[in-house]
Amino acid sequence: MRTGIGDFVRAGVCLLLSLVFLGAAWPLWQTAQQARQDDVGFSKVVIVENGHQTGRLKVCGDRYRKPYCMQRERVTVRDSAYTLKRSSTRYTLELTRADHRRTMELAYSDHRSHDERDSVYGRAQAEEPVTLFWWRGSVRMIQAGKDSGDDRSVVRTSHYPGRLFTAPAALASVLWGLGLGPLWAAVWLLLRGRRNPLTMAWQWLAPVLALAAAGGVGALAALAEPRPRAVVQSFAVAAAALLIPALLWLRRWTRTRLPRKCDVEPVQPVDVHPVDGGVSGTGPWKLGIKSPLYVGPDVIGTTPDPAAKVALKPLPGPLRVITVRPPYRSDPRAVRRYSIHPYLDEEARARRAERQRWYTPRAQQAEPTYPLVAVCEVLDGPGRGSQVLIGAPEQDMPEVLGAIAAHARQWR
């Protein structure tokens, strides 16, 4: 197999993209984890204010300063309502905020009955003062009653907005998917790329798409359930669910794709004319053709003359065609550089033509070129017994095979 310089270039580009994406994802993920810890772990700190414990939440005042404390806001109750449920009662308070221009509706659940005068709802109905305690855009505590003394009622909320965690975690998940995909591609191209014979290397492209999709699933998990563990689990499950079937399908597709051969009947050329083809081999067969391949009734070779009338150089020996197959990506560029479309069998080509008939007028369609490669063996002369590859478009391959057979007969 030839060493593909293009594989190393593509691997380098993929590795660079992977470093950029993963390098950007790591600080974002750390930021998201810190934001989650700030929101959730904040309520675990016991504090003392004015000489006695006020609860498990820090409140802005003389002891604590913004932004590392809860902000206190006095509100006015405009309306109140409740809905009875099996395990608790759902209360709704319509509040006027401190500037008297903004209103908000606050809904919470409480196990206490609406008839209890000592509850937050009862004190709000009795027009006692109501205070909201905010932390990072979320109401964490509702207090109703007098500020002095212990004659007050408190409801602690368990609402976690997730706004601090969601955005960086979702973006980090997308970047993890976009970074791990090119990393997979770079490793595969460096280890297996130059030895893989398939024309299209889906072994690196399909996992890239699967990991990118897994990053999107992790981002959706960050939006739906703002927890680091949920994002990691969603990403891992989605990656496994997409990668394993993709790799199994690729393994099966490789085993069925590589052994395929093409049935082409030789046709004797009528006159000498150029063909968009190339020849590759070892020793004297390493021609490095830069001009078209010329075929004729009894000759096949190259010439710098566009009319092929002088200096026609025939191939250095007779050949025997072993098989005709689609080109491999490990084939030299000389025999696969004319590839425009991948080779399709008759059934697949008929299906494609039927689909294209409904989208594009037949007059505007260019005739596609399907490249083929003839694997030949040198029968006599220099390089005897070695393998030679001759590439040509499918429509010209019958005449190429006919010229190879005629050239072999003339050599004898």
Side-chain angles (χ1 to χ4, degrees):
M1 298 293 180
R2 291 167 57 93
T3 301
I5 301 300
D7 288 335
F8 289 102
V9 174
R10 283 188 287 268
V13 173
C14 290
L15 189 59
L16 180 62
L17 289 176
S18 176
L19 293 177
V20 170
F21 286 132
L22 294 180
W26 180 245
L28 280 173
W29 182 251
Q30 289 183 319
T31 301
Q33 286 184 314
Q34 185 61 41
R36 170 70 181 181
Q37 184 178 0
D38 289 344
D39 268 347
V40 177
F42 178 79
S43 61
K44 299 178 182 179
V45 181
V46 179
I47 59 92
V48 176
E49 187 177 14
N50 298 327
H52 63 278
Q53 289 190 4
T54 59
R56 296 174 61 85
L57 296 170
K58 294 186 287 186
V59 181
C60 295
D62 296 335
R63 189 180 179 90
Y64 302 102
R65 298 295 180 181
K66 295 180 181 179
Y68 305 106
C69 59
M70 296 184 67
Q71 300 182 42
R72 190 196 318 257
E73 180 185 5
R74 182 68 62 84
V75 295
T76 304
V77 180
R78 296 182 57 185
D79 194 8
S80 59
Y82 66 90
T83 304
L84 296 177
K85 294 187 176 182
R86 290 184 179 181
S87 59
S88 63
T89 306
R90 184 74 171 176
Y91 296 99
T92 304
L93 300 178
E94 187 177 343
L95 309 172
T96 301
R97 305 191 69 172
D99 56 6
H100 299 286
R101 291 180 296 177
R102 295 179 297 166
T103 61
M104 64 179 296
E105 186 177 285
L106 187 64
Y108 65 94
S109 297
D110 197 354
H111 65 278
R112 287 174 289 188
S113 172
H114 61 280
D115 294 331
E116 295 187 29
R117 302 295 298 176
D118 194 39
S119 66
V120 171
Y121 180 77
R123 292 179 181 273
Q125 275 196 322
E127 297 183 353
E128 294 188 25
V130 176
T131 305
L132 304 181
F133 294 87
W134 294 83
W135 170 245
R136 294 188 181 273
S138 173
V139 176
R140 294 304 178 89
M141 187 166 67
I142 310 170
Q143 175 183 295
K146 299 178 181 179
D147 291 338
S148 60
D150 296 333
D151 187 20
R152 56 190 175 184
S153 182
V154 174
V155 172
R156 302 181 189 277
T157 66
S158 59
H159 172 64
Y160 168 59
R163 287 183 295 178
L164 296 176
F165 171 83
T166 298
L171 186 56
S173 177
V174 173
L175 292 178
W176 275 108
L178 295 178
L180 291 177
L183 182 61
W184 178 298
V187 172
W188 189 91
L189 288 170
L190 290 175
L191 298 180
R192 293 288 301 170
R194 64 184 182 273
R195 296 192 297 270
N196 189 269
L198 291 177
T199 305
M200 292 297 294
W202 292 106
Q203 286 90 339
W204 70 270
L205 183 58
V208 167
L209 299 178
L211 291 171
V217 173
L220 294 177
L223 298 175
E225 185 65 25
R227 291 184 299 109
R229 185 174 181 180
V231 177
V232 173
Q233 287 180 344
S234 300
F235 183 91
V237 170
L242 294 174
L243 271 178
I244 293 176
L247 294 178
L248 291 176
W249 174 78
L250 286 171
R251 183 170 178 269
R252 179 178 179 275
W253 182 69
T254 302
R255 290 188 172 187
T256 58
R257 175 71 166 82
L258 287 180
R260 184 168 57 170
K261 300 178 181 179
C262 307
D263 295 329
V264 181
E265 295 294 334
V267 175
Q268 186 75 15
V270 178
D271 55 357
V272 178
H273 61 277
V275 171
D276 288 334
V279 181
S280 177
T282 59
W285 294 91
K286 194 174 182 180
L287 302 179
I289 296 177
K290 296 183 180 180
S291 55
L293 181 68
Y294 285 85
V295 297
D298 54 358
V299 67
I300 176 173
T302 61
T303 177
D305 180 17
K309 294 182 178 179
V310 297
L312 180 61
K313 182 181 179 181
L315 297 183
L319 300 176
R320 178 178 66 88
V321 179
I322 301 174
T323 184
V324 179
R325 57 167 175 79
Y328 293 163
R329 68 189 305 270
S330 54
D331 290 340
R333 185 172 177 81
V335 299
R336 62 179 177 89
R337 59 181 174 176
Y338 299 100
S339 303
I340 299 177
H341 296 281
Y343 178 80
L344 301 175
D345 54 24
E346 294 295 335
E347 183 180 355
R349 203 174 309 168
R351 290 197 302 267
R352 172 177 287 187
E354 183 64 23
R355 289 195 304 266
Q356 292 178 346
R357 188 170 64 89
W358 300 101
Y359 297 100
T360 307
R362 301 292 293 183
Q364 298 180 6
Q365 291 185 4
E367 182 181 0
T369 299
Y370 301 97
L372 294 178
V373 174
V375 182
C376 306
E377 179 188 2
V378 180
L379 297 177
D380 197 2
R384 181 177 181 178
S386 62
Q387 190 177 87
V388 175
L389 302 179
I390 299 179
E394 180 197 17
Q395 55 267 28
D396 297 325
M397 184 56 74
E399 291 189 341
V400 171
L401 297 182
I404 292 174
H407 179 65
R409 290 193 298 268
Q410 185 182 21
W411 186 273
R412 295 192 189 99

